[in-house]
Structures are given as C-alpha cells and as structure tokens.
Amino acid sequence: MRRAHVIVILLSSIFSAWQGASAQSVTRIHGVVTDSLSQQPLASATITIKENNKRTLTDADGHFTVLIPSPSVTLIIGYTGYLTKKILLTGKADTLRIALLRNNDALKEVMVKSDLNPAHRIILLMQQHRKEHDPLNIPAYEYNAYTIAEAEGTPYLWQLMDKMMGSDSTPVKKSQRKISTKDSILNATDDATIEALKNNYLFVSESYTNKKYRRPRQVKETVLATKVSGIKNPLLAITTANFDFFGFYFDYPQVAERVYTSPLVAGSTGLYKFSLREVIPNENDSTYVISYEPRAGKNFFGLKGILHINSDRYAIEKVTAMPSDDRARALSFRMEQHYQRVGTQWFPKQLDLRTVQKDMKKDTALFFWNTRTTLSNIELNKSFAPSEFSDVAIETPRGTGKLSEEDWKKLRPDTLPARDRATYKAYESMPKEILGFLNTMNGITEALALQAIPIGKIDIPFQYLFAGVTPYEKFRPGIGAQTNQLFSNWFSTGGYVGYGLGDHAWKYGANVLFTFNRRSHTELRLSLSQDLREPGTVPYFTDNETLYSPNTLRGLFTSRLDSVREWKIGFNTKLRPNLQLNAWLLQEKRGPAGFNYGFDKSGNNYFAHRFQNTEAGIGFRFTTRETFERIGRAIVPNGFPRTKILVQLSKGLPSLAEGQLDYTKFALDWSQQINTKYFGQTSFRLSLGKIWGNLPYSYLFNLPATGQQD
C-alpha cells in the first residue's frame, strides 16, 4: 500500500511539473551585438535574462538566440572593454540589433580586435591590472590567519604498514594467545586508535598568526597559537609563509623545489591555451571563467587549471592550479585560492594547497597533505615603523601551544570538522610511551634548530662535540658550552676543548659576546682559539653558515690543514635586513699541519714555515628574498636567497702586534638564481679575488672543486 502511494505521488508530481511548464508561453528572440562605432560583430558577448538569470553567448558573428518566458523582460548585455547595456522588452520582437559603447578606460589599456580569442582579451586586460592587485604592491597591510593542516593516509599506505607490522602473519596457537587483562585492554586501545587514524587523519595541526607587511617585502608573521595532535607544547607551526607564493601574481611560482611558469606571465598567450568557459553575471559586474593549459609542443614547466577573473578591473577572484604533467614526480599538488574585496582592493581570502606523495614504483598515492588558510581582520594601508621588521619573517614564541580548547573555538573561523576532532581524540587515547616519544621528537626539533643541546641557561653546540672528523685528525672528541638568552639577553660567554686522536693535539677556544641590538644582530665578539683551518680559504661570513651547509660539511673531508692560534675582535650588524656588515681585527700565528710548505719572503732562499700575521678587514653581505624563522630561541633559514653577494677587503698590518705580512686582499663571491619562461630556474656563481703583495700558500685563494677528474 505504501509503495502504491509513493508511485502515485511521483507520477502526480511529474505530471504537474509538465503541465505547468507547457502552460508557459515561450518566445524565441534573435539578435546581433555589434560595436557602436565600427559596426563590427562582437563574439562571446554575454546575454543575460534578468528575471531568471539565464544567459547565453554570441557566436563568432555576434548572433544570439534566447528563449524568454514572457514579453516583458530585461536583457543585460555585457562585453569585455564595453559598457554594459540593459534592454527592457515590452512587446513582441523577433530580432534585435544591439550596439555597445566602448569603455574608453579599458580601451586605453588594450587594443580590441574582432579576431582575437575572447579569453585572450580578458587575460591581457588582467595582465595590465596585475600590479594593482598583487598583494606585494600594497604599501602595507595586516591580517590574522587561521591555518589547519591534515596528513591523510591512503589505503595503499595502510596496507604497506600492515605488512611491515606483520599483521598478515599466520595465526598462533591458543596456548600462545594467553595474555593478561591489562595487555588485552592495551591491544584493544591500540587497534581502536589505528582504526581512528585510518578513518580520519594521520595527524592534525592548527595555527593562528598575525602578519604585518610593509613594501617592499618586509614581513613579520607572529604565531599567536599553535596546536599539533599528540604534542603538548609544539614549536613548529604551519603559516601563510609556508606557501611559496602569497597570491597568484608571481611570474614563476615555486612548489616542492620546482619552479613553474605562471599563466599570468607576460607573453603567456603564446605559451598557454586559454578558453573562455563561462560568463557569470553578478549584481554589478561579471565573472569570466577561463581554463588554461600549456599549448601542445611547448617545453616548459607549466600549470593547468581554472581562472575566475572579475570584470571589476580584471582581478583574480578564484584560481585553481596543478602541474600540467606530474609523470615521474613523487610529489604532486593542487592549489586553490579565493579573493575578496577589501574596500576597493582585491585581497586573498582563502588559500588551499593539497599535495600528494606517491610511490613511484607503483605510481600510487601514499598520503595526502591538506593545508587550508583563512584570513580575517584584514586592514590595508596601515602605517608601520621600519623598526618593526627585521630579517626574521616568522616568529614562534615559546608557550604558543598552551591554549585551551575554549580559546581555540574563538580563533577558528568555523566549527572543527568531525574527522579532525576524531584525530585529536585518537591521540589522546594513545599509550603514554608513544606520546612521550612524540614529545621527545618535538624537543629534538628544537635542538636541531638551535644546532645545540639546550640545558637550562646553557647550550652545548654540536660543533663542539663533533668538530674534528677529518683525514688528519681522524676523530676529535670534545666538550663545550655557551650561555644562552635565559642567562642573559645581551651577554654570552662560552668555550670548548677537544683532542685529536689522529694528530694527538689539543684544540680549544673561548669567546665573549655582547649583543647590543638583537633585531639588527648588532654584536661585538672577542675570541681566542687554537685550532685547525683549511689554507687558502676566504672566511665569508661563516657565522651565517649552518652546521648542515655544504661549506661546513666540506671540512669533514679536508686533508690539508693549518694549525692556527688566533686572537680576534669582530663586530657584526645588519644595516638593513638584507645588508650585513662585518669588521674585524685579528692576530694569528699559523703554520702547516700534516703537510709541508715554505715561503721565501726576503728572496734570499730562507724559507719560513710559520708566520705571524695581524689583519684588519671589512666585509659586506647583500641578499634578496632571504628571510629567517625564529623557533623559540633558534633562528633558522626560511629558504635560499635569490641573490647573494659577498664582498671582503682585508689588509695585513706589519707594524702592528709584530705582524710579518704586508698585503691587501680583495674577494668577491656572487650567486644568482634567475627564472625564465622556457628554462625554469637557472643558477650561476661568480668568484674572483685579487692580492696586492707577496703571501704564503695559506693566504692565497683556493676555489673548492665542483667536480672530479680521472
């Protein structure tokens, strides 16, 4: 009986809908849209019926056909570069001839031709306006950002993990299955936790930040709150700075170490195929939906996706992008960005990035990494003092991971999704041993960032423990310590000692550091050391090198070394965030260690093997696009600089502190990265030097090799 009722209701509904539709009177209207001056037809002009919001486009000859529900309707006709026109139909009309007036402001920016791809017109107009819409060109702004990141495992990943854990092993005998009640409960808890992670996420991270920007490219983003599943007080946070580009107006965006040529770059219509898919009329403007992909036969790293361009000064309203070809790539991505009007300025509203990690052997996804950022409290054209900014673009102070759940509810733009809540809950039920391991790894993260083991008010730098691993020293065990900011914010002292097992010699050093301005890194350092140093090297700003840099790792394989006893006074400051100054005065005694050479200074065949030298010098370090991140007390690089220029000028002083060498030495090192449409990212390096005066081997130039010769 119930089935019969359902069938009757469905048939009645269908019949009523058909009867209502057939009762309407439909009129077919034909027309043509032309330029009011040239009378040339306009292809792909938009015809919208205001009453039902239905729309169509004119064909290549400017003709169109629409079905109107009643004689009295309003047609809205729009076209790129022309003034929108409204026509009220009050009677029967078989054909219409509509002439549109040109928008003089738009026509000044681009020449409109009747044979031009309509999508190309819009792209060219958008490129003309891109500078005013690029967030980097806004004088200053400030906003808050909420970011949530989720790592999601695929069924294939869980299958691999099950195999690794031996879940597919053969069953055991009943006598072997006897376990205690406690173990049974723990096993059941583990199984429930794993199922929760399978059905939800591997882990979840949230952050809430405040970002300030001042042109050109001065950035300060402060993490106000951060949360990571399973970790009590996390030090790391996902922020908008983790996006390699903020806004889609970059010519060459970089994602996962690959540089792509943007569809917005000048001349992109020759590289990309653009197609106008749809025109969406809004209340006061229109949105052009344009697909893009690289043209066939073009060899470059391109993207594909959809552009939503608003007719209000041709700004990006929404964009999706992904690699046009991700074959043989272990990492792929899909990006989506939304924009909104803030006053009269278009500005990013939401930034989404989904990356996929694949198993290349199986060409199967292992896991997904989802990042969603929502912006709020956006204020444009604010006034910031230059002193508010430094080379540190991101700061994560200690204690940002201690907010309660009630506080997080106030910061989130929406309710936390059920899958994220389930992931947090799964970590809460994990055994203490696993949670302890996760929090230990969080502490190790801080140690790696500090390049030292933190112990209260002192740090034990890694380089003091593992400095000597060379063919000459074999291995150097050592110990050392340095006071940190918990001891004093402006003063630090420390030292080290080590013994080489290969050369059977002691090495030691001590230093005192005065910090006058932490923001500009204005410091005075006094040091004494007895150590080994590679001859023929220029110590370009070695304090900028990390323990893991190529220049530092080179020391592990150096076979020729000098024994150097050195006193040094060094001054360092950053005149600007991208311009660093070093000045020094040193006195050293140097001689060969493990190899032999001599220097005939006077020309009378008397060869000296040890030298005493007094030197004064000054150096400059200039970079572009270089920023750093402060994690607790540690400062770590946040990407590589686009340009790096190192200049050093030093002078030997034979009349000071018994110096024996008289010379002037100039050195320059220039590294540069450039991006081009067809070749992507290209790097080159230029090194040169000049010496005035006679110097022993130790003070000459030694350019590290970049390859091997048989």
Side-chain angles (χ1 to χ4, degrees), residues 199-250:
N199 297 328
N200 298 288
Y201 299 111
L202 291 172
F203 74 90
V204 176
S205 172
E206 296 177 271
S207 69
Y208 188 78
T209 65
N210 172 266
K211 183 175 180 178
K212 297 178 181 179
Y213 172 83
R214 182 175 183 267
R215 192 175 61 185
R217 294 183 179 276
Q218 291 181 300
V219 177
K220 181 181 180 181
E221 186 162 13
T222 305
V223 178
L224 305 178
T226 182
K227 184 176 183 179
V228 178
S229 54
I231 298 179
K232 291 182 179 180
N233 190 17
L235 295 172
L236 298 180
I238 306 298
T239 73
T240 53
N242 295 103
F243 289 88
D244 290 315
F245 44 96
F246 178 70
F248 197 68
Y249 290 95
F250 277 56

Side-chain angles (χ1 to χ4, degrees), residues 130-151:
R130 61 179 297 180
K131 287 186 177 180
E132 65 182 279
H133 299 308
D134 188 346
L136 294 179
N137 290 327
I138 300 175
Y141 58 76
E142 181 178 11
Y143 65 76
N144 292 109
Y146 167 81
T147 301
I148 184 168
E150 304 143 344

Side-chain angles (χ1 to χ4, degrees), residues 123-184:
I123 294 298
L124 292 174
L125 284 166
M126 181 272 299
Q127 291 174 345
Q128 293 289 329
H129 287 273
R130 61 179 297 180
K131 287 186 177 180
E132 65 182 279
H133 299 308
D134 188 346
L136 294 179
N137 290 327
I138 300 175
Y141 58 76
E142 181 178 11
Y143 65 76
N144 292 109
Y146 167 81
T147 301
I148 184 168
E150 304 143 344
E152 180 179 2
T154 64
Y156 177 68
L157 174 66
W158 288 110
Q159 290 175 9
L160 293 178
M161 294 182 68
D162 288 342
K163 290 181 180 180
M164 292 175 59
M165 299 301 294
S167 62
D168 57 346
S169 59
T170 57
V172 296
K173 298 179 180 179
K174 288 185 178 181
S175 59
Q176 297 175 319
R177 295 179 184 173
K178 293 181 179 180
I179 57 176
S180 66
T181 303
K182 179 181 177 181
D183 290 340
S184 178

Side-chain angles (χ1 to χ4, degrees), residues 130 133-136 138 245-250 264 287 306-310 315-320 335-342 345-352 373 375 378:
R130 61 179 297 180
H133 299 308
D134 188 346
L136 294 179
I138 300 175
F245 44 96
F246 178 70
F248 197 68
Y249 290 95
F250 277 56
L264 276 60
T287 301
I306 301 292
L307 283 166
H308 292 240
I309 300 175
N310 194 285
I316 295 177
E317 188 176 320
K318 177 183 175 182
V319 60
T320 61
M335 183 199 68
E336 183 173 322
Q337 296 185 357
H338 298 256
Y339 297 76
Q340 64 181 346
R341 291 187 186 90
V342 180
Q345 177 71 48
W346 287 89
F347 198 81
K349 176 184 180 182
Q350 184 171 320
L351 310 173
D352 296 351
T373 298
L375 276 55
I378 301 170

Side-chain angles (χ1 to χ4, degrees), residues 165-393:
M165 299 301 294
S167 62
D168 57 346
S169 59
T170 57
V172 296
K173 298 179 180 179
K174 288 185 178 181
S175 59
Q176 297 175 319
R177 295 179 184 173
K178 293 181 179 180
I179 57 176
S180 66
T181 303
K182 179 181 177 181
D183 290 340
S184 178
I185 294 174
L186 290 176
N187 289 342
T189 301
D190 291 345
D191 292 342
T193 300
I194 291 174
E195 283 302 313
L197 298 180
K198 283 183 179 181
N199 297 328
N200 298 288
Y201 299 111
L202 291 172
F203 74 90
V204 176
S205 172
E206 296 177 271
S207 69
Y208 188 78
T209 65
N210 172 266
K211 183 175 180 178
K212 297 178 181 179
Y213 172 83
R214 182 175 183 267
R215 192 175 61 185
R217 294 183 179 276
Q218 291 181 300
V219 177
K220 181 181 180 181
E221 186 162 13
T222 305
V223 178
L224 305 178
T226 182
K227 184 176 183 179
V228 178
S229 54
I231 298 179
K232 291 182 179 180
N233 190 17
L235 295 172
L236 298 180
I238 306 298
T239 73
T240 53
N242 295 103
F243 289 88
D244 290 315
F245 44 96
F246 178 70
F248 197 68
Y249 290 95
F250 277 56
D251 285 339
Y252 304 99
Q254 180 173 342
V255 182
E257 304 303 323
R258 171 165 285 185
V259 177
Y260 296 87
T261 299
S262 167
L264 276 60
V265 69
S268 62
T269 54
L271 296 174
Y272 280 91
K273 175 185 176 182
F274 295 97
S275 300
L276 181 62
R277 298 297 184 184
E278 187 179 7
V279 180
I280 304 174
N282 306 315
E283 184 176 353
N284 299 315
D285 49 46
S286 299
T287 301
Y288 303 99
V289 182
I290 298 175
S291 65
Y292 64 92
E293 61 181 346
R295 290 181 178 273
K298 297 296 182 179
N299 186 21
F300 67 100
F301 293 130
L303 301 168
K304 64 181 179 181
I306 301 292
L307 283 166
H308 292 240
I309 300 175
N310 194 285
S311 61
D312 176 16
R313 293 168 297 139
Y314 302 94
I316 295 177
E317 188 176 320
K318 177 183 175 182
V319 60
T320 61
M322 64 186 71
S324 59
D325 185 1
D326 58 0
R327 291 174 297 179
R329 294 283 295 170
L331 193 67
S332 185
F333 69 91
R334 184 184 186 277
M335 183 199 68
E336 183 173 322
Q337 296 185 357
H338 298 256
Y339 297 76
Q340 64 181 346
R341 291 187 186 90
V342 180
T344 59
Q345 177 71 48
W346 287 89
F347 198 81
K349 176 184 180 182
Q350 184 171 320
L351 310 173
D352 296 351
L353 183 64
R354 180 178 174 87
T355 56
V356 184
Q357 181 70 46
K358 296 189 295 185
D359 180 347
M360 295 305 299
K361 291 183 178 179
K362 299 289 186 179
D363 193 26
T364 304
L366 287 170
F367 64 85
F368 302 99
W369 174 262
N370 309 315
T371 307
R372 300 188 303 278
T373 298
T374 304
L375 276 55
S376 62
N377 305 324
I378 301 170
E379 297 184 60
L380 304 183
N381 301 313
K382 294 194 67 176
S383 178
F384 298 120
S387 59
E388 294 189 50
F389 301 91
S390 68
D391 58 345
V392 177

